Amino acid sequence: MRNPLRTITGLFTNLHIRGKLLISYFILIFLPLALMTSFSYKNVSRDYEKQILHSADLSFDQAYTFLSYKVNTLIKASDVIYFNADVQTMLTRDKQAFGDDYVQQNIDRQKLESFLNSFQNAEDVYRASLYVPGWLMYAGQNFNFFDMDAFSQTGSYRALLASKDKVSWLPEHAITNNNSNLDPVPVISLLRKIRNSEQTTEIIGIIELNILKELIEDILRKANIANDGAVYLQNANGAIVSCSNMDNFRRINPDPALIQDAQTDGPAWRNAAIGGSDYVIKTRAVENTDWTMVTAIPMTDILTQSIRIRDLMLVLMLVCGLISYGLAYLIAGATVKRILLLKKKMRLVQEGVLNVEAQSASRDEIGELTDSFNHMVKRIRLLVEEQYQNGKEIKNLELKALQAQINPHFLYNTLEMINWKAIDNGVPDIAVISQSLAKFYKLSLNKGRDIVSIEDEINHIRAYVQIQNLRFDNKIKLDVQIDPALYGRDILKLILQPLVENAIIHGILEARDGKEGTIAITGYPEMGEIVLTVADDGVGMPSEQAERLLANGNAGEEVQGYGVRNVDHRIKLCYGQEYGLAYRSSPGNGTSVEIRIPDRFR
């Protein structure tokens, strides 16, 4: 087995110089920074823990004071209502004497309503209400007044009777908003029994004072100094009265037993393990309630500042490493960088991208190699362009050579002579054929020009179809639906004729026995392009065969596809690769050929 040290030495020896420098920088910079970060973290974390807990103490005590003030405000308001003489008088009225006296009951309602409204404000008492005997006409108002007889059937009423405390507290519930047509608002309610001042065993009503749950939550939120901590109120039954952040509370999921050992002035903080995480908690009972205020702060939040310093040291270590890497790269790898850049350009050329150029400002060997590469790529581009132009010229020359085989003047004079001979001898069909053929070749040759108007191309097709109809006994119906605005647009000549010929020979004539078929030619502009369609109702073909027509084709499709591929190739050479033909066909449903060319005026 080889010596591990020799293996490591061999690997280091074979590294590039840039790699060796990077390893040296890592040992000289990253290792000392890591040791310093660890040492700083341990020392700073202790100091910050003391500061954070002191700040949490202040926030807890301030929130507790605000909360006690709100509770006492509600209790004092209940005292005023409890000892009010009018309240005692109106709630102890005799049912037999006042049961039908709706005028007096209405007067009582207005006085009580005005009295209760005087306690309401947005900061302390959201609404003051009374539970009154059910026989009173306003007992079912359900805003400032509620039916005490109906309330006596509830568990909340039984809990109120069983309580020996001065007041009781209802858990969170929703009441109608003070403003009409608004959604109900969540509140926390104080309940207090009103006893007959002359017969204290008789309960004549119940006071309900509501405070917005949002106000209590706001006090608790201000007491929560930790991002992931929670400050909450828990009643004697273990239910949550209010919480600064319910999402955090659900994630922490503290055990209600945490407050069982709470004392009014208990220890400031104690450690607790909740759900596998470490927390510090503080609890304190709220006077005149069955609530306990609890703060739970994750140890991770307490150590946030020290963790930030640790992270800052890690960032500094990373920055130093990156700077070291950059210096090593610039000093030891400047030459490698230029070679890699040239290699990248060569790969682009290998993938077929010829529009590249490598920049070089030096005149050393790499600079000369870069210049040679640029010269080579430039020559390749010129050769490719020259080959493209040659191919384009060859196609045009082939077409011109085909046209040059026919002497136009001799052909026109011969066809004119045939026309007059046919008229002299009373053979009108021959005259029509000769006229159509003369028109066909006149438009085909077009004085040697490759570009014609769409109108001339359509006239050329009309002449061609007229000749074919004389041949095939008028079996071909031509339907031209082209936007008149397109007639003056430019188009390569002899584009439509091969497509129409295919539609007649391989579509219509193969589909019918003695029945006529229709060739529909449509055209319309579309977003800077002209779309022409040649469609027949002939025999059609499978979609796979239609797709192969524009490919190289095989022996069985060579005759049918040669003219089509020639048209597609000419369009792409003239207008660009994004233009050309597109076939759609299925057996028995005919064939449609779409032609797309750019929209150009003559």
Side-chain angles (χ1 to χ4, degrees), residues 79-304:
D79 288 339
V80 176
I81 297 173
Y82 185 95
F83 293 108
N84 183 267
D86 288 337
V87 172
Q88 286 284 333
T89 300
M90 295 174 190
L91 296 183
T92 56
R93 291 194 188 281
D94 184 57
K95 178 179 179 180
Q96 293 182 352
F98 293 94
D100 297 326
D101 190 352
Y102 298 118
V103 174
Q104 184 60 49
Q105 287 191 47
N106 191 50
I107 294 172
D108 291 348
R109 179 189 63 79
Q110 291 179 354
K111 284 184 178 180
L112 287 175
E113 207 169 56
S114 177
F115 178 62
L116 294 174
N117 288 338
S118 67
F119 291 93
Q120 297 178 179
N121 61 79
E123 293 298 324
D124 297 314
V125 180
Y126 180 73
R127 183 183 302 154
S129 304
L130 286 176
Y131 288 86
V132 299
W135 61 267
L136 292 173
M137 60 175 287
Y138 49 87
Q141 184 207 41
N142 293 332
F143 193 82
N144 288 115
F145 305 101
F146 296 92
D147 188 345
M148 190 173 70
D149 295 340
F151 182 64
S152 65
Q153 305 301 317
T154 64
S156 298
Y157 179 79
R158 289 190 290 272
L160 179 63
L161 289 182
S163 175
K164 297 180 180 180
D165 296 329
K166 182 178 180 180
V167 297
S168 294
W169 298 87
L170 285 179
E172 173 195 350
H173 62 284
I175 63 173
T176 306
N177 197 298
N178 282 340
N179 299 317
S180 59
N181 299 324
L182 292 177
D183 295 332
V185 295
V187 296
I188 297 172
S189 300
L190 173 150
L191 295 180
R192 180 173 180 178
K193 301 182 287 286
I194 303 178
R195 298 183 182 274
N196 191 330
S197 59
E198 297 179 358
Q199 187 178 353
T200 58
T201 59
E202 180 187 1
I203 298 175
I204 59 175
I206 298 173
I207 302 169
E208 180 180 310
L209 298 178
N210 300 304
I211 183 171
L212 289 173
K213 184 188 176 189
E214 179 183 346
L215 294 178
I216 303 299
E217 288 179 347
D218 186 57
I219 293 173
L220 299 181
R221 276 194 293 268
K222 291 178 180 177
N224 184 25
I225 65 169
N227 293 330
D228 297 325
V231 180
Y232 61 94
L233 293 175
Q234 180 178 313
N235 65 18
N237 298 323
I240 300 304
V241 178
S242 184
C243 182
S244 63
N245 189 314
M246 286 304 298
D247 290 336
N248 285 354
F249 178 84
R250 294 189 189 97
R251 181 174 46 77
I252 297 172
N253 192 22
D255 187 348
L258 282 175
I259 67 170
Q260 289 179 355
D261 300 329
Q263 301 175 5
T264 302
D265 295 311
W269 298 96
R270 50 200 175 99
N271 296 323
I274 307 174
S277 300
D278 292 329
Y279 291 81
V280 290
I281 64 169
K282 182 176 181 180
T283 60
R284 187 173 180 182
V286 181
E287 295 180 355
N288 298 315
T289 69
D290 63 342
W291 302 343
T292 300
M293 181 175 171
V294 184
T295 295
I297 302 177
M299 287 299 296
T300 54
D301 278 16
I302 295 177
L303 301 176
T304 297

Side-chain angles (χ1 to χ4, degrees), residues 198-414:
E198 297 179 358
Q199 187 178 353
T200 58
T201 59
E202 180 187 1
I203 298 175
I204 59 175
I206 298 173
I207 302 169
E208 180 180 310
L209 298 178
N210 300 304
I211 183 171
L212 289 173
K213 184 188 176 189
E214 179 183 346
L215 294 178
I216 303 299
E217 288 179 347
D218 186 57
I219 293 173
L220 299 181
R221 276 194 293 268
K222 291 178 180 177
N224 184 25
I225 65 169
N227 293 330
D228 297 325
V231 180
Y232 61 94
L233 293 175
Q234 180 178 313
N235 65 18
N237 298 323
I240 300 304
V241 178
S242 184
C243 182
S244 63
N245 189 314
M246 286 304 298
D247 290 336
N248 285 354
F249 178 84
R250 294 189 189 97
R251 181 174 46 77
I252 297 172
N253 192 22
D255 187 348
L258 282 175
I259 67 170
Q260 289 179 355
D261 300 329
Q263 301 175 5
T264 302
D265 295 311
W269 298 96
R270 50 200 175 99
N271 296 323
I274 307 174
S277 300
D278 292 329
Y279 291 81
V280 290
I281 64 169
K282 182 176 181 180
T283 60
R284 187 173 180 182
V286 181
E287 295 180 355
N288 298 315
T289 69
D290 63 342
W291 302 343
T292 300
M293 181 175 171
V294 184
T295 295
I297 302 177
M299 287 299 296
T300 54
D301 278 16
I302 295 177
L303 301 176
T304 297
Q305 294 298 331
S306 58
I307 291 174
R308 287 179 181 175
I309 292 179
R310 181 198 64 187
D311 293 342
L312 178 60
M313 296 297 293
L314 290 175
V315 170
L316 290 175
M317 182 172 62
L318 180 61
V319 169
C320 290
L322 291 175
I323 292 175
S324 302
Y325 176 84
L327 291 174
Y329 186 83
L330 292 175
I331 295 172
T335 302
V336 175
K337 178 181 177 181
R338 293 162 62 197
I339 294 176
L340 290 177
L341 179 61
L342 185 58
K343 178 183 177 182
K344 180 180 178 181
K345 299 292 184 180
M346 288 181 175
R347 284 185 176 175
L348 289 175
V349 174
Q350 183 180 356
E351 294 171 0
V353 181
L354 298 180
N355 190 23
V356 296
E357 182 177 359
Q359 301 295 329
S360 176
S362 64
R363 305 312 306 163
D364 57 6
E365 290 80 358
I366 298 177
E368 292 181 2
L369 182 61
T370 303
D371 291 340
S372 299
F373 168 77
N374 290 335
H375 178 74
M376 178 187 68
V377 173
K378 184 177 179 181
R379 288 292 301 161
I380 291 174
R381 284 202 304 267
L382 291 175
L383 290 173
V384 171
E385 180 66 22
E386 183 179 345
Q387 184 179 9
Y388 171 79
Q389 293 297 334
N390 288 340
K392 190 174 179 180
E393 274 192 38
I394 288 172
K395 287 290 182 182
N396 291 331
L397 289 175
E398 287 177 353
L399 182 62
K400 291 183 182 298
L402 179 62
Q403 295 170 350
Q405 293 177 5
I406 305 173
N407 187 314
H409 295 290
F410 174 75
L411 180 62
Y412 297 154
N413 291 337
T414 301

Side-chain angles (χ1 to χ4, degrees), residues 567-586:
V567 169
D568 185 61
H569 188 57
R570 288 175 58 213
I571 291 174
K572 284 179 166 53
L573 284 174
C574 182
Y575 300 117
Q577 294 298 315
E578 64 271 27
Y579 300 102
L581 307 184
Y583 264 86
R584 287 189 295 273
S585 183
S586 62

Side-chain angles (χ1 to χ4, degrees), residues 532-534 546 550 568 580-584 592-596:
L532 299 173
T533 304
V534 178
L550 297 178
D568 185 61
L581 307 184
Y583 264 86
R584 287 189 295 273
S592 174
V593 190
E594 182 182 271
I595 308 168
R596 283 188 178 269

Side-chain angles (χ1 to χ4, degrees), residues 519-567:
I519 296 177
I521 301 179
T522 59
Y524 55 90
E526 183 181 89
M527 299 184 65
E529 296 180 352
I530 294 174
V531 181
L532 299 173
T533 304
V534 178
D536 66 71
D537 56 357
V539 68
M541 68 184 83
S543 58
E544 297 82 3
Q545 182 180 353
E547 293 174 358
R548 290 198 301 269
L549 285 178
L550 297 178
N552 290 331
N554 53 40
E557 298 165 349
E558 188 65 26
V559 175
Q560 182 179 357
Y562 178 78
V564 171
R565 290 193 299 276
N566 184 271
V567 169

Side-chain angles (χ1 to χ4, degrees), residues 408 411-412 415-416 419 431-447 455-467 494:
L411 180 62
Y412 297 154
L415 292 173
E416 187 67 19
N419 178 48
V432 172
I433 293 174
S434 64
Q435 289 175 2
S436 298
L437 190 60
K439 185 177 182 180
F440 175 81
Y441 278 111
K442 184 176 182 180
L443 292 171
S444 296
L445 297 175
N446 193 30
K447 298 181 181 180
E455 183 178 15
D456 286 344
E457 187 72 1
I458 294 300
N459 289 334
H460 179 254
I461 293 304
R462 293 184 192 278
Y464 175 76
V465 172
Q466 186 176 21
I467 294 171
L494 298 179

